[in-house]
Amino acid sequence: MDEKETNLPATTKKKTLKNNEDDRKWFSFPNSPASNTVISVVSHVGDLETFGKRLEHNSHSTQIDFFDPPEGSKNLSQRVKYSTDNTETTIHLDNIDLFTKANKPLKKILTYTLVQLSKENVTENPENDISIKFPLEDFVTLGCYKTIRTARQAFNQAQHPLTSIKIEGVVKDKKDQKQITDSGIEVLFPGAHIKNGIVEIYLNKRINWQLFALQYFSILPKEYFSLSDNAADTLLNIVMLARKRLNDIGKNGSFNMSFKTLQQILDLPDETITKNPGRDIKEPILNAIAEISKMLNGDIVVEPIYNANGNIIEFLEDGYAKVSLYNEYLEHFGELAKTKRIKIEGAMKKREEIADRAKVKALANKLEKESKSKK
């Protein structure tokens, strides 16, 4: 049904609705640790344990813990605790089967929901229930679906899992830690529906949206929505990773992503198990890379670097994708790199000044003691 609703709150935020008229090549996209965690968990719901093992191997600062569902539980639920140096986020998925079946449309609908969230002026904990609204036609305009009918079918399929994602967690800084939710486990999006061609997704007012998603931002090419699943997943992770590779971008205008990481991102089989690693691992990685470079038309160029005569082990261990940024993308991340460098240089200068003052004070104290001892 077009107007199917799930636990809809009474009050929503009013806003003027427009089709996607932005002439920029990209969307602003939340790139905060907690929101990235939700995307990662939802994207790899089919085999979270394998994803977790690979992630911990490829990123030593990340730890994933899994909790078994309650004994006798009818639905195969999953609770995943995702920890990094500064965040600790626990995602609750009550029915893995639902997420698995709807995974294909859910990933892009969740991503577009976060894109729309970045446009909202959401306070830390809004007093009233608020919602995100956008035309269903956006999915057609962006090339995600060919018709309004197929877009509606996809949204209806993704609606139940989208509105059942639960979260809790903390974000740590130098002085203290802040809770993402007011009172433990909370549903991210309490309700969603389509009415008169307008999608409306409700935001839980007991979630600190600034902390959850709106701390940091990246930019997501609009082509993401028209790419195949593998290419889209690769591109999304490229823009997430770009903020962490600002030093490389500032120096070279590019950064590298290992094929091992791409194997993890694309949920490709283990190289020691598959009988046809060329077809099952190598081809999906190379095809995703080629599709991105073709669709981005020179703005982002992804070049595979590997030994064409090597085996699959060498391909994964030594091979990598060189991601080169141009035009608006290089300008955006180049400015971020410059800002980061200035902050680092400022902090280093401040530390040096403090150290110099400490040396001067120590020398003055020493001279004073020597002067007193001579008297």
Side-chain angles (χ1 to χ4, degrees):
M1 290 292 291
D2 196 26
E3 298 184 21
K4 184 177 179 182
E5 301 185 5
T6 308
N7 301 324
L8 301 182
T11 308
T12 61
K13 181 180 179 180
K14 303 293 183 182
K15 63 180 282 188
T16 302
L17 296 176
K18 294 182 180 180
N19 280 324
N20 182 14
E21 297 173 351
D22 193 340
D23 59 358
R24 292 181 301 184
K25 297 178 180 179
W26 45 266
F27 291 117
S28 178
F29 178 71
N31 192 32
S32 299
S35 57
N36 287 353
T37 296
V38 171
I39 290 175
S40 293
V41 170
V42 168
S43 296
H44 300 281
V45 72
D47 191 355
L48 280 169
E49 292 199 22
T50 298
F51 167 71
K53 290 175 183 176
R54 288 176 173 175
L55 181 63
E56 288 181 348
H57 179 267
N58 295 332
S59 175
H60 300 296
S61 63
T62 302
Q63 179 181 343
I64 295 185
D65 298 306
F66 297 91
F67 302 87
D68 294 329
E71 190 173 346
S73 175
K74 293 182 180 180
N75 294 327
L76 180 59
S77 62
Q78 182 71 74
R79 185 157 61 101
V80 185
K81 184 178 179 181
Y82 193 109
S83 305
T84 65
D85 292 338
N86 299 318
T87 63
E88 188 177 281
T89 311
T90 302
I91 312 297
H92 300 251
L93 307 177
D94 284 340
N95 190 333
I96 290 293
D97 194 42
L98 270 178
F99 284 87
T100 303
K101 289 179 179 177
N103 193 250
K104 186 174 180 178
L106 177 61
K107 286 190 289 186
K108 288 186 177 179
I109 289 172
L110 173 60
T111 300
Y112 196 61
T113 300
L114 292 174
V115 164
Q116 294 298 320
L117 175 64
S118 71
K119 300 178 182 180
E120 299 289 335
N121 183 23
V122 182
T123 58
E124 290 186 2
N125 293 91
E127 292 182 5
N128 299 317
D129 294 314
I130 59 175
S131 65
I132 295 169
K133 291 183 180 182
F134 56 88
L136 180 64
E137 188 181 359
D138 280 3
F139 291 121
V140 179
T141 304
L142 291 166
C144 195
Y145 298 102
K146 291 184 178 180
T147 66
I148 292 289
R149 181 172 177 270
T150 54
R152 181 181 293 111
Q153 289 173 341
F155 182 84
N156 287 339
Q157 185 183 7
Q159 178 184 352
H160 193 161
L162 179 70
T163 55
S164 63
I165 300 171
K166 298 176 184 177
I167 187 174
E168 62 179 325
V170 296
V171 175
K172 307 167 189 174
D173 60 25
K174 295 179 181 178
K175 296 181 180 179
D176 57 10
Q177 59 182 28
K178 298 179 180 179
Q179 297 289 334
I180 292 175
T181 62
D182 280 354
S183 53
I185 304 167
E186 291 285 354
V187 176
L188 272 180
F189 309 109
H193 67 159
I194 305 171
K195 186 174 183 180
N196 298 327
I198 301 300
V199 176
E200 186 166 20
I201 298 172
Y202 296 88
L203 308 180
N204 189 333
K205 67 180 180 182
R206 291 182 296 277
I207 287 176
N208 185 327
W209 289 96
Q210 295 288 331
L211 207 59
F212 168 69
L214 305 176
Q215 283 184 299
Y216 307 104
F217 295 86
S218 188
I219 55 177
L220 179 66
K222 292 178 180 178
E223 289 87 349
Y224 161 83
F225 292 96
S226 61
L227 291 171
S228 67
D229 284 352
N230 280 352
D233 289 346
T234 301
L235 180 59
L236 183 60
N237 279 271
I238 282 173
V239 299
M240 287 179 175
L241 185 60
R243 276 197 66 101
K244 299 179 181 179
R245 300 293 173 82
L246 293 178
N247 289 341
D248 292 335
I249 294 171
K251 292 177 183 177
N252 310 312
S254 64
F255 64 94
N256 298 333
M257 177 183 283
S258 73
F259 284 167
K260 265 290 187 184
T261 297
L262 285 173
Q263 180 190 30
Q264 162 205 312
I265 290 168
L266 301 180
D267 282 333
L268 300 177
D270 190 292
E271 63 274 15
T272 62
I273 296 176
T274 178
K275 294 180 179 179
N276 194 335
R279 179 197 64 198
D280 298 338
I281 301 174
K282 189 175 181 179
E283 286 182 13
I285 289 175
L286 297 180
N287 289 343
I289 288 172
E291 185 179 348
I292 291 171
S293 292
K294 181 179 179 181
M295 288 292 288
L296 270 293
N297 196 27
D299 288 330
I300 297 178
V301 176
V302 188
E303 180 185 2
I305 308 295
Y306 66 100
N307 178 6
N309 297 318
N311 58 27
I312 192 62
I313 303 296
E314 185 179 351
F315 177 82
L316 289 172
E317 294 293 341
D318 300 332
Y320 61 91
K322 180 182 178 182
V323 181
S324 300
L325 307 178
Y326 299 95
N327 305 322
E328 293 180 31
Y329 298 97
L330 180 58
E331 181 181 347
H332 176 83
F333 288 108
E335 282 298 316
L336 289 178
K338 182 179 178 181
T339 301
K340 181 181 178 181
R341 186 177 69 252
I342 291 171
K343 285 183 178 179
I344 292 173
E345 290 173 352
M348 290 176 63
K349 185 178 180 181
K350 188 175 181 180
R351 283 198 295 268
E352 289 172 359
E353 290 173 350
I354 292 172
D356 288 342
R357 286 198 296 269
K359 289 178 182 178
V360 170
K361 186 176 180 180
L363 180 59
N365 290 338
K366 181 181 178 182
L367 292 174
E368 184 179 354
K369 287 180 181 179
E370 290 176 352
S371 176
K372 288 180 179 179
S373 65
K374 291 178 181 179
K375 291 180 180 179

